[in-house]
Amino acid sequence: QVQLVESGGGSVQAGGSLRLSCAAYGYTANCMGWFRQTPGKEREGVAWISTGGGITYYADSVKGRFTISRDSAKNTVYLQMNSLKPEDAAMYYCAGHYAPHRCGDWSRYNYWGQGTQVTVSS
């Protein structure tokens, strides 16, 4: 059974940091990504990583502040979030898909975690 389990969300003040984790069970993807969503808005792709080559990508809104990484031995992907802003507050989801060399295609992510809430106060 495929399962993605996120953890690490919480409440921080602006300028603070959080590290999100996504543990994958019964599943090894070629591409893992982090998305976020706030009520009334579309889900936004934040970052992705190719689990084989370690290639990463970041949305402009988080570039330079967020870092995605993976621990292959633990089958876990992380999102280190620094210098958090109130506009970063959202439900964060990790997701994965198998299609190689297509990590940047947000529509291909078809395995999803349950989400973890991030709140940033000003």
Side-chain angles (χ1 to χ4, degrees):
Q1 182 180 356
V2 175
Q3 195 174 14
L4 300 180
V5 181
E6 300 106 329
S7 61
S11 297
V12 294
Q13 290 190 328
S17 298
L18 284 173
R19 189 177 81 153
L20 307 183
S21 299
C22 173
Y25 300 95
Y27 177 68
T28 301
N30 285 309
C31 302
M32 292 293 294
W34 285 97
F35 295 72
R36 65 186 182 188
Q37 189 171 25
T38 54
K41 292 188 177 182
E42 289 189 1
R43 190 171 292 179
E44 173 192 16
V46 172
W48 58 257
I49 185 167
S50 65
T51 57
I55 299 170
T56 59
Y57 167 87
Y58 301 94
D60 287 343
S61 57
V62 305
K63 197 174 296 182
R65 300 187 298 120
F66 290 11
T67 302
I68 188 170
S69 62
R70 90 272 192 216
D71 184 331
S72 299
K74 296 182 178 180
N75 209 17
T76 298
V77 174
Y78 304 96
L79 186 67
Q80 178 67 45
M81 306 186 296
N82 298 329
S83 303
L84 282 162
K85 304 175 181 180
E87 52 264 42
D88 294 318
M91 183 71 80
Y92 282 72
Y93 299 89
C94 74
H97 74 75
Y98 287 116
H101 313 299
R102 296 288 185 270
C103 294
D105 187 345
W106 299 116
S107 68
R108 288 184 177 270
Y109 288 83
N110 56 355
Y111 289 97
W112 294 86
Q114 80 288 351
T116 185
Q117 183 69 46
V118 171
T119 303
V120 184
S121 57
S122 57

